[in-house]
Amino acid sequence: MSLFPSIFNDVIGPVMRGPSSSHCAAALRIGRICRDIMKNDITEVYIEFDPNGSLATTHSGQGSDMGLFGGLLGWNADDERLKDYQLHMDEAHIKVTIDIHPIGATHPNTYKITLKNEKTSHQVIGLSTGGGMIEIIEIDQTPVSLFGDLHTTLIYSDTPKQTANTLKTLDLKESTIYPNGSTFVLINSNSGDQKILFESITALQDANDIISIEPVLPIKSRKNLSVPFITVEEMLEYNKDKNLSLWELAVAYESTRGNISSDEVFEKMGTIVDIMKNSIDLGLKGTHYDDRILGSQSLVFKKKMTKKELVPGDVLNNSIMFTSAMMEVKSSMGVIVAAPTAGSCGALPGTIIGTGTTMGLPRELMVQAMLAAGLIGVFITAHATFSAEVGGCMGECGSASGMAAAGVVTLKEGSLNQALAAASMALQSSLGLICDTVADRVEAPCLNRNVMAASTAISSANMALSDYDQVIPLDEVIETMKKVGDAIPHTLRCTGLGGLAITKTAKKIENQLNNNKNVVSTGFKNC
């Protein structure tokens, strides 16, 4: 995660396929960067996972392999070929070896990747930090910090300091130049400065190799980036003389963060809401995918609700149905929006679109609600985490619930303080929520917890609209989330090593799925 999160980078997005954003989308982005480093020419990949991390046990079932190899092939996160990645890797004649052994990783989602072709070899260490976000922390044994939100150029040289000095004579006003010491100079720039750099590249006679890494995030960063606020307390101070609503504050934040117009912020969120609604509509028509635990349960729910065989409550029941439909699309490799993650992709749109649809509210109001939810997510990811591998399901479904609660208050045109109180109460209700996915598929108990998140969001919104006392302010709740997440045992943070994941029934399901899975040989080797 970058220092100042973006609503569209870090919170609501990416648009993707696959069971997990921290596995599929993040791995794909790491793979795309690796592909750029190798100039699109890869013949051999050696991947190392630490046995104490999450990826050692989840890289196959939760889609890290699928995402990483899709990235190495140059695909986007919503590419329809992802489900057949093994076949395409075989056709590309890329040999893959996966080795699980101690690598000294300090983050549970650490990828250590060595890439080769006939001419060269490079090594990359990358992290998946939650919700599809990444950080590249090392290239060729040299520490770096890349988030994929800038144009990055690596200039390999025998005299990197001299090369850096030459670069500083160019008119690269919006670039940052790092003489990283050992073998290369790293330049982070915008597209304009990168063009100037490439036009002047012939002046660098001491360059042995030049590598261009394209951004993988939709909202780009820039030199001397700043935002109007980064905590709730700072936001309230900023708003003292403005009297803006939460969604308007979200527009102000993202417009400044992304250097884009307010209209563009609103239009981007409108597009995302449309994608979410389309996914829900597809889910309610029924989905199918062989490698899954659960079928299209939302169809039965819809039938029972239509026949009035359920406990009444139209807003809640529609939200449950929409949440379920979105989760079923995710589990069938359909297109979804990670909001804030793929594992929790049902709760936020299910609640906002379910509530809005039931109440007959216009699209514009749903977009406003989603913007409000996005700003709550900015505060969470800036000071806690969306990653279940770091903070348990509290970071995923818990965060989605807090975001959705603020969104529902916005749908009802409640006050700023009511929206913040709703988010606080919903987050308080999910502290300590563990992640223990059954059979390494992000379905059970994930569906139940998405529905719980939606239900809690609606309840918290109604309490806030009734001016219930939140007691603990949102900033302090988020700070507590971080501390609680750090205290959750490793076995209960998306490793498949504890909780429901190790029950007798879960292991039986896991064995059945693994036995039924049609494995296509692609030259992969697990050590």
Side-chain angles (χ1 to χ4, degrees), residues 143-332:
V144 298
S145 182
L146 305 179
F147 300 100
D149 54 355
L150 287 162
H151 293 271
T152 298
T153 305
L154 305 179
I155 300 179
Y156 285 76
S157 170
D158 295 329
T159 55
K161 289 185 178 180
Q162 180 178 322
T163 302
N165 289 334
T166 303
L167 291 170
K168 290 173 182 177
T169 65
L170 303 177
D171 189 26
L172 304 177
K173 295 178 181 178
E174 298 300 321
S175 297
T176 306
I177 301 170
Y178 298 95
N180 279 310
S182 56
T183 58
F184 60 80
V185 178
L186 185 151
I187 306 100
N188 281 329
S189 62
N190 60 19
S191 56
D193 268 13
Q194 189 187 52
K195 183 178 179 181
I196 294 172
L197 175 63
F198 287 167
E199 288 173 350
S200 308
I201 217 78
T202 53
L204 302 174
Q205 296 179 356
D206 52 348
N208 297 326
D209 192 18
I210 299 168
I211 292 173
S212 176
I213 302 172
E214 294 299 303
V216 294
L217 297 182
I219 301 297
K220 310 302 183 291
S221 288
R222 59 193 182 279
K223 193 173 182 179
N224 301 321
L225 172 67
S226 64
V227 293
F229 47 80
I230 198 60
T231 66
V232 175
E233 184 178 1
E234 290 176 4
M235 180 188 71
L236 294 174
E237 181 65 28
Y238 169 86
N239 199 41
K240 267 187 176 179
D241 58 348
K242 298 178 178 62
N243 197 32
L244 300 174
S245 65
L246 186 58
W247 79 265
E248 290 171 320
L249 287 162
V251 171
Y253 176 93
E254 190 68 9
S255 177
T256 302
R257 167 61 178 82
N259 195 29
I260 56 179
S261 70
S262 297
D263 287 345
E264 190 173 352
V265 173
F266 200 90
E267 288 169 8
K268 280 182 176 291
M269 189 58 79
T271 299
I272 285 174
V273 169
D274 291 342
I275 293 170
M276 289 173 165
K277 189 176 185 307
N278 184 64
S279 297
I280 290 169
D281 290 343
L282 288 174
L284 290 174
K285 293 177 181 177
T287 60
H288 176 77
Y289 193 67
D290 290 334
D291 188 28
R292 66 193 283 190
I293 300 171
L294 301 171
S296 296
Q297 299 176 121
S298 59
L299 298 181
V300 178
F301 193 97
K302 183 178 181 180
K303 181 179 179 180
K304 293 280 187 180
M305 189 170 66
T306 302
K307 291 184 175 182
K308 300 189 181 301
E309 295 178 1
L310 303 178
V311 175
D314 288 347
V315 167
L316 178 60
N317 283 336
N318 273 326
S319 295
I320 291 171
M321 183 172 67
F322 283 18
T323 296
S324 302
M326 182 69 86
M327 292 294 288
E328 289 162 8
V329 169
K330 172 195 65 66
S331 295
S332 62

Side-chain angles (χ1 to χ4, degrees), residues 6-64:
S6 155
I7 290 175
F8 298 116
N9 284 352
D10 301 73
V11 183
I12 299 183
V15 178
M16 58 166 287
R17 297 178 191 264
S20 167
S21 49
S22 61
H23 288 71
C24 307
L28 187 140
R29 286 169 166 170
I30 291 171
R32 287 283 295 268
I33 288 173
C34 288
R35 180 178 171 86
D36 282 352
I37 289 173
M38 294 300 291
K39 299 181 180 179
N40 304 343
D41 181 10
I42 305 169
T43 58
E44 188 173 341
V45 184
Y46 175 52
I47 303 162
E48 300 169 78
F49 295 135
D50 198 294
N52 294 318
S54 167
L55 295 169
T57 52
T58 64
H59 69 90
S60 176
Q62 292 198 26
S64 297

Side-chain angles (χ1 to χ4, degrees), residues 10 67 72 96 166 171 235 301 318 342 381 388 399 407 410 422 424 426 450:
D10 301 73
L72 293 175
V96 176
T166 303
D171 189 26
M235 180 188 71
F301 193 97
N318 273 326
T381 194
S399 296
T410 302
S424 174
N450 271 261

